[in-house]
């Protein structure tokens, strides 16, 4: 286990991009990393939670980000996730989980399968776009829907 502390300058609020000035609190995050000489590695990272002092911002507090090491709401190091993704692509669920156990990676069957994501495919832009209005309920405001005429599928419902 390695203890580390985020000591960089206070970051900006992810919602309004206003820089932080006050510390709300501190807490420990446990992040699983790549194994070191066949031992599991856990980084105990002490991070700060900041106040967002902007009046109009809906977010009151936010946590500092350690770029290159963590992602929001993740408990594994980015390098460990990429190694688990490589195992998932080659082996899949149960065999991948068995290999992760031998490699000392934190990977159960569901976690390994969760690493598999379809590559992003750009949807072709509709050639003919239709616009229609509809009522959400009788006597209520109307909404607008954009429809691809050729495939008869909705494209977007603007606010």
């Amino acid at each position: 286990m390695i203890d580390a502390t985020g000591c960089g300058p206070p970051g900006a609020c992810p919602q309004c991009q206003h820089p932080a000035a006050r510390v709300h609190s501190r807490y420990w995050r446990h992040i699983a990393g790549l194994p070191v000489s066949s031992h599991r590695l856990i980084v105990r990272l002490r991070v700060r939670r900041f106040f967002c002092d902007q009046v109009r911002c809906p977010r009151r507090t936010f946590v500092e980000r350690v770029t290159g090491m963590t992602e929001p709401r993740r408990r594994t190091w980015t390098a460990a996730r990429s190694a688990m993704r490589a195992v998932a692509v080659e082996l899949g669920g149960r065999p991948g989980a068995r290999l992760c156990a031998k490699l000392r990676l934190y990977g159960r069957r569901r976690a390994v399968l969760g690493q598999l994501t379809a590559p992003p495919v750009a949807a072709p832009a509709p050639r003919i776009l239709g616009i229609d209005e509809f009522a959400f309920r009788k006597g209520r405001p109307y909404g607008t829907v954009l429809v691809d005429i050729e495939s008869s599928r909705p494209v977007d419902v603007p606010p």
Side-chain angles (χ1 to χ4, degrees):
M1 183 172 289
I2 296 175
D3 286 341
T5 303
C7 58
C13 173
Q15 194 127 12
C16 68
Q17 303 303 319
H18 187 265
R22 299 184 300 146
V23 175
H24 176 273
S25 59
R26 292 174 176 82
Y27 69 96
W28 292 100
R29 285 185 66 183
H30 294 80
I31 301 166
L34 287 172
V36 176
S37 69
S38 77
H39 293 288
R40 287 187 172 168
L41 173 69
I42 296 176
V43 178
R44 249 180 30 158
L45 180 64
R46 188 169 173 105
V47 292
R48 298 172 288 184
R49 180 171 284 281
F50 294 103
F51 284 105
C52 182
D53 292 327
Q54 285 292 97
V55 177
R56 294 184 186 152
C57 183
R59 182 171 277 191
R60 293 288 127 217
T61 62
F62 63 94
V63 178
E64 69 179 327
R65 306 275 169 91
V66 181
T67 56
M69 183 176 178
T70 62
E71 294 174 356
R73 297 176 198 86
R74 299 280 186 197
R75 292 185 178 187
T76 54
W77 207 332
T78 53
R81 288 190 60 217
S82 66
M84 196 183 326
R85 186 177 299 120
V87 169
V89 167
E90 294 299 324
L91 296 176
R94 286 193 179 101
R98 286 194 297 268
L99 181 61
C100 284
K102 289 181 181 176
L103 294 176
R104 302 286 187 160
L105 288 171
Y106 286 96
R108 302 281 185 260
R109 182 178 63 90
R110 299 277 308 240
V112 170
L113 289 176
Q115 297 298 319
L116 296 175
T117 56
V121 177
R127 289 187 331 119
I128 305 170
L129 189 65
I131 300 174
D132 196 10
E133 291 184 343
F134 66 98
F136 288 103
R137 281 187 10 201
K138 188 174 180 180
R140 297 293 174 143
Y142 283 87
T144 305
V145 63
L146 304 175
V147 180
D148 183 4
I149 299 296
E150 293 178 337
S151 66
S152 299
R153 294 181 181 246
V155 176
D156 193 13
V157 179

